[in-house]
Amino acid sequence: AKSTISSYASADQAAPAPSFAARQLEQDPQYDELEQRDRAFARLLVATVERRLGQIDKVLGCCIKKYPPKRGKHAAMIQATLRVGVAQLLFLKTPPFAAVQETVQALKVHRPRVPEPMTKFVNGVLRKLSRPVAE
């Protein structure tokens, strides 16, 4: 008799459909302009955030008094940006300087413009998380 696990892992099953976030990424016109390597990294970021969402939100909840951010014009963008930054720092082993700089830069070029205090907040949170933990 087949085990339950092997019945789910059958080779003839179709690959799972891309997630909503992956579909949104692939529909963005700027995504097509990226080099293959950068497109692969973007897909990896999206997949890692989705896979590790609970862990990422728990980490953010421990270092931010009011997490998730209050509802507001930029709350969803701030939350998504923080999640991407944490995924890079904790799970993808992106060098901390690069993870923080590129994540904050994404906020700076986003339209509508994210206010500077919110950009500085994201920068501060990610820098805090990128520092070694004192034992």
Side-chain angles (χ1 to χ4, degrees), residues 11 16 21 24 30-33 35 41 50 52-53 57 59 61 68 87-88 92 113 116 118 121 125-126 135:
Q24 290 299 111
Q30 293 178 337
Y31 176 78
D32 290 332
E33 296 172 14
E35 292 184 25
F41 186 69
E50 289 179 327
R52 304 288 192 143
L53 188 59
D57 281 349
V59 167
Q88 290 180 80
L92 298 180
R113 188 105 176 139
E116 187 175 348
M118 291 182 179
F121 170 74
V125 170
L126 295 178
E135 292 185 34

Side-chain angles (χ1 to χ4, degrees), residues 57-80:
D57 281 349
K58 187 161 184 119
V59 167
L60 287 168
C62 288
C63 70
I64 301 173
K65 287 182 183 178
K66 294 182 180 180
Y67 184 82
K70 294 179 189 174
R71 293 191 184 273
K73 184 176 180 180
H74 302 287
M77 183 64 182
I78 299 298
Q79 186 176 31

Side-chain angles (χ1 to χ4, degrees), residues 9-126:
S10 173
D12 60 339
Q13 287 182 335
S19 67
F20 173 77
R23 286 192 312 270
Q24 290 299 111
L25 175 68
E26 291 168 0
Q27 291 173 4
D28 188 314
Q30 293 178 337
Y31 176 78
D32 290 332
E33 296 172 14
L34 296 174
E35 292 184 25
Q36 176 61 32
R37 178 178 172 178
D38 294 333
R39 284 195 309 269
F41 186 69
R43 285 191 306 272
L44 178 62
L45 271 174
V46 168
T48 302
V49 170
E50 289 179 327
R51 191 176 322 116
R52 304 288 192 143
L53 188 59
Q55 292 167 298
I56 291 169
D57 281 349
K58 187 161 184 119
V59 167
L60 287 168
C62 288
C63 70
I64 301 173
K65 287 182 183 178
K66 294 182 180 180
Y67 184 82
K70 294 179 189 174
R71 293 191 184 273
K73 184 176 180 180
H74 302 287
M77 183 64 182
I78 299 298
Q79 186 176 31
T81 304
L82 285 167
R83 286 171 169 169
V84 166
V86 171
Q88 290 180 80
L89 290 169
L90 299 182
F91 302 111
L92 298 180
K93 308 300 183 209
T94 303
F97 176 81
V100 174
Q101 181 180 3
E102 293 301 317
T103 303
V104 171
Q105 185 61 28
L107 268 183
K108 289 180 177 179
V109 300
H110 182 265
R111 298 287 183 245
R113 188 105 176 139
V114 174
E116 187 175 348
M118 291 182 179
T119 302
K120 288 182 176 183
F121 170 74
V122 170
N123 184 59
V125 170
L126 295 178

